[in-house]
Structures are given as structure tokens and as C-alpha cells.
């Protein structure tokens, strides 16, 4: 049963800031980890990057469920175009926060790397080892990440 609230509650705010921290950590790790190319083996930074990606998927999935069950009323004081832009930006951010890690996971799978959550449990491979689709997923992953950065900047400017 869903109910509408004119403001974001404590759980929604906490989930927002947890995602902010995870994304900041993920971008930091992404910049300090070694360059990914043929023959690179998983080491600490790459393993951490993969685990953070899995954690982001889990937190975003929970956040989406929470948002569906606890919708927030739109600010009707904003012009219609701003409401539409806000809705579109949030939708694209949610989409990229799920798709970008999945693309990275598919790429890792094609490299034969194990993906899991901090070594607690392995996840299934999304693509076969050596898969051309998995290899291309890595390129699309980079584009998705830069698109996400642009949307995050837009989101921050609008706030």
C-alpha cells in the first residue's frame, strides 16, 4: 500500500545520501584503479570497483521500491517545464545508476572476472568469457558514466 507525502522522509533522505557517498567512492576508485585493457587481472582497486557497483545496484533497487511505496507529491509551484525536466532527470539518473553497473558487470564477465559483493558471494556471469557483447558493454559503460556525471551536475544545479 503506497501513500503520498509532500516531503521526503528520513529513509528517502538517508538512501539519497548513501547513494551520493557510494557514487563518490565509486568515481574515486574508478580514477585510481589501473587502466583496464586486455590481460589485466583483478587486483584490490578493480575488485573494490566491482563490489561497489554491486552495492550500488542493491541500494538503488531498494531505493526504487521505497520510492514506489512512499511517493512524494510533485511541487506544483514549479512551472510545468521544470516539473517535467525534474522528472526526466530523476528517471534518467535512476536508469543510469542501474544500467552503468550492469554494463560494467557484463564487461567483467567477458574478461572472466568474478563479480560479487566484497567476496561474500559470487554472482553469475552476465556474458560469456570472451564475448564481443561483453567487451562492447565496457565501452558503453564509460559513456553511461559520463552521462551520469552530466546528470548529477544538472541535478546539483537544479537543487
Amino acid at each position: 500500500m503506497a501513500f503520498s507525502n509532500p516531503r521526503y522522509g528520513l529513509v528517502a533522505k538517508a538512501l539519497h545520501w548513501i547513494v551520493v557517498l557510494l557514487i563518490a567512492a565509486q568515481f574515486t576508485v574508478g580514477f585510481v584503479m589501473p587502466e583496464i585493457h586486455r590481460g589485466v587481472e583483478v587486483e584490490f582497486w578493480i575488485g573494490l570497483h566491482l563490489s561497489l557497483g554491486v552495492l550500488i545496484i542493491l541500494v538503488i533497487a531498494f531505493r526504487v521500491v521505497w520510492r514506489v511505496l512512499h511517493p512524494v507529491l510533485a511541487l506544483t509551484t514549479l512551472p510545468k517545464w521544470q516539473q517535467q525536466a525534474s522528472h526526466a532527470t530523476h528517471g534518467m539518473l535512476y536508469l543510469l545508476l542501474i544500467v552503468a553497473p550492469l554494463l560494467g558487470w557484463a564487461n567483467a564477465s567477458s574478461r572472466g572476472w568474478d563479480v560479487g559483493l566484497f567476496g561474500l558471494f559470487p554472482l553469475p556471469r552476465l556474458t560469456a568469457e570472451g564475448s564481443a557483447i561483453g567487451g562492447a558493454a565496457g565501452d558503453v559503460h564509460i559513456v553511461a558514466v559520463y552521462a551520469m556525471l552530466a546528470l548529477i551536475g544538472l541535478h546539483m544545479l537544479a537543487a
Side-chain angles (χ1 to χ4, degrees), residues 107-132:
N107 183 256
S109 297
S110 75
R111 293 175 182 282
W113 296 348
D114 291 328
V115 176
L117 188 61
F118 302 106
L120 297 175
F121 55 88
L123 296 170
R125 295 217 166 130
L126 296 183
T127 58
E129 190 169 341
S131 162

Side-chain angles (χ1 to χ4, degrees), residues 4-150:
S4 292
N5 187 345
R7 301 185 53 100
Y8 290 99
L10 181 63
V11 173
K13 288 178 183 177
L15 288 170
H16 173 272
W17 289 108
I18 289 168
V19 170
V20 168
L21 293 174
L22 286 172
I23 294 300
Q26 186 67 307
F27 277 108
T28 302
V29 170
F31 283 116
V32 301
M33 71 184 202
E35 184 178 333
I36 305 297
H37 52 79
R38 187 178 315 265
V40 169
E41 296 293 324
V42 175
E43 48 85 52
F44 174 78
W45 293 110
I46 294 172
L48 181 58
H49 188 73
L50 295 172
S51 289
L52 285 172
V54 171
L55 189 56
I56 288 167
I57 292 170
L58 293 173
V59 172
I60 288 297
F62 182 75
R63 188 172 178 198
V64 168
V65 169
W66 186 265
R67 180 79 186 258
V68 167
L69 295 175
H70 301 86
V72 176
L73 298 175
L75 289 175
T76 55
T77 57
L78 294 176
K80 188 75 170 168
W81 72 268
Q82 283 183 336
Q83 292 177 42
Q84 291 171 334
S86 174
H87 184 72
T89 301
H90 280 100
M92 288 186 289
L93 271 171
Y94 278 110
L95 180 66
L96 286 172
L97 285 165
I98 293 170
V99 170
L102 288 174
L103 289 166
W105 181 0
N107 183 256
S109 297
S110 75
R111 293 175 182 282
W113 296 348
D114 291 328
V115 176
L117 188 61
F118 302 106
L120 297 175
F121 55 88
L123 296 170
R125 295 217 166 130
L126 296 183
T127 58
E129 190 169 341
S131 162
I133 291 173
D139 296 332
V140 180
H141 172 75
I142 299 298
V143 173
V145 165
Y146 283 112
M148 186 188 315
L149 274 176

